[in-house]
Amino acid sequence: MRLRTDIFVSAIVRRLFARGDFAAVERRGAEEAGAIFLRQRHRDGQETLYAPAPQSFFDDEQSGERLFEIRLGRADSEKIREMLSREAKFDPDLWIVELEADDLDGIVPLAEERKNPL
């Protein structure tokens, strides 16, 4: 069973605040199963966009887990905004969470760290 989206987002926000970093929900989507996009802002004005990892990264044992992949790394905020606008047209139930932290280790589970089972 997968953790509800609103609870997962709340946990990310709390974990960042506990470390002294900042996070805010930019867009609320479906509370139970909305896709989550994470927008990391860097000090130099660049941003990194994390999107839900493709289903091929999951096997039966990990079906309740959420994994992310870097969709755009260190890009201009306008490019990130354009991509998120396209995603929102495709999926109006998505969440967008803005993160202001230099390091997201231990906060955002990345699919890159796992071997694709296919």
Side-chain angles (χ1 to χ4, degrees), residues 6-55:
D6 56 346
I7 295 171
F8 186 86
V9 168
S10 178
I12 287 176
V13 170
R14 287 177 187 257
R15 289 175 73 190
L16 279 170
F17 275 118
R19 292 185 351 176
D21 294 318
F22 178 78
V25 177
E26 188 176 319
R27 177 189 171 121
R28 286 184 162 282
E31 291 182 353
E32 293 182 7
I36 303 169
F37 288 80
L38 304 172
R39 184 177 188 171
Q40 179 186 14
R41 293 187 185 263
H42 301 282
R43 293 178 194 235
D44 62 0
Q46 299 283 302
E47 296 183 17
T48 298
L49 180 64
Y50 296 87
Q55 289 297 311

Side-chain angles (χ1 to χ4, degrees), residues 94-113:
L94 67 82
W95 289 66
I96 300 172
V97 182
E98 183 178 325
L99 313 172
E100 289 185 9
D102 293 330
D103 179 25
L104 295 178
D105 286 344
I107 300 291
V108 178
L110 293 176
E112 298 172 348
E113 298 170 358

